Amino acid sequence: MNRKKILGSHVKRLLSGVSDHGKRHLTEVETDLIQTELLLEEAIEKLTGAFMAIHAAVAAQQETIELLLRGGEPSSEQRARLQALAGEVGEHVNVAITSMQFQDMTGQLLDRALKRVTGLREFLGTLGAHGQDLVPESGNDEIVELLGKVSMALAIQSLELRSVLRKAVNQQHLESGDIELF
């Protein structure tokens, strides 16, 4: 193969590798951000439901409380309902608290996305730093050697970043009975 073809082959392989690496990491960042959005939507929906249920239970208790404040005596049914509502409020508060576990998961997803963006920036920085070593007067042999060094440095960075990002995002589901407030 003549020198021009070798040089062209090295440049093509380098540009293709940089493009593939960048696209792969940006796709993963996009996936992590979509997961974060879904987690936030789910958590907000659960929190809204829990707070609305708490409001309904407190409103139901209010009727009996007002009777007591007027000096009235609640019936046995009202007493039982008041006690049941206290338990319901506790359950709804537990649901609200366990729904807030999204904070840990979204933090993990955002941290991973940030590591990908940082890794991609470093990857491109390495490419730029090695590119500064190239002068217009460089011969084909110098260019091929530089491209080999750049490719090796980028491959090492890519492997290092991949090993850092292997950790999956973990979610621990808490049952409403796991937290006691009352």
Side-chain angles (χ1 to χ4, degrees):
M1 223 189 255
N2 68 31
R3 290 181 181 193
K4 239 182 189 177
K5 286 185 180 183
I6 292 173
L7 180 60
S9 174
H10 278 300
V11 170
K12 181 179 178 181
R13 189 172 47 233
L14 176 65
L15 293 176
S16 178
V18 169
S19 174
D20 290 346
H21 181 82
K23 285 191 290 187
R24 185 173 48 251
H25 283 289
L26 291 175
T27 298
E28 291 295 328
V29 167
E30 182 180 31
T31 299
D32 287 348
L33 293 175
I34 289 169
Q35 280 184 289
T36 301
E37 181 181 34
L38 293 174
L39 284 170
L40 288 172
E41 286 175 8
E42 180 183 345
I44 289 169
E45 186 177 304
K46 286 180 180 179
L47 286 169
T48 300
F51 288 127
M52 294 303 291
I54 290 168
H55 174 72
V58 169
Q61 288 175 331
Q62 190 63 35
E63 184 180 309
T64 305
I65 291 170
E66 288 175 9
L67 174 69
L68 289 169
L69 289 174
R70 289 191 307 263
E73 188 65 30
S75 67
S76 60
E77 289 176 357
Q78 288 173 317
R79 288 175 192 263
R81 180 69 181 137
L82 196 58
Q83 288 175 333
L85 287 171
E88 284 180 33
V89 169
E91 288 175 23
H92 296 308
V93 168
N94 283 339
V95 167
I97 289 172
T98 57
S99 295
M100 286 191 267
Q101 74 177 347
F102 77 92
Q103 180 184 7
D104 177 54
M105 291 181 59
T106 55
Q108 290 178 52
L109 286 167
L110 292 172
D111 182 55
R112 194 165 68 180
L114 185 59
K115 284 179 182 174
R116 285 190 182 282
V117 169
T118 301
L120 186 55
R121 183 180 60 237
E122 290 171 359
F123 190 85
L124 294 172
T126 297
L127 186 60
H130 279 80
Q132 291 176 357
D133 295 340
L134 192 61
V135 292
E137 297 81 30
S138 298
N140 286 348
D141 291 339
E142 293 170 309
I143 293 171
V144 169
E145 182 182 337
L146 179 64
L147 291 174
K149 287 179 184 177
V150 170
S151 293
M152 183 60 70
L154 294 177
I156 290 169
Q157 276 185 307
S158 183
L159 288 173
E160 288 172 348
L161 181 59
R162 212 174 297 148
S163 71
V164 167
L165 296 172
R166 286 200 199 283
K167 186 178 96 175
V169 175
N170 296 315
Q171 177 179 12
Q172 295 177 358
H173 290 282
L174 300 175
E175 298 300 322
S176 60
D178 292 346
I179 301 171
E180 288 193 26
L181 298 174
F182 301 100

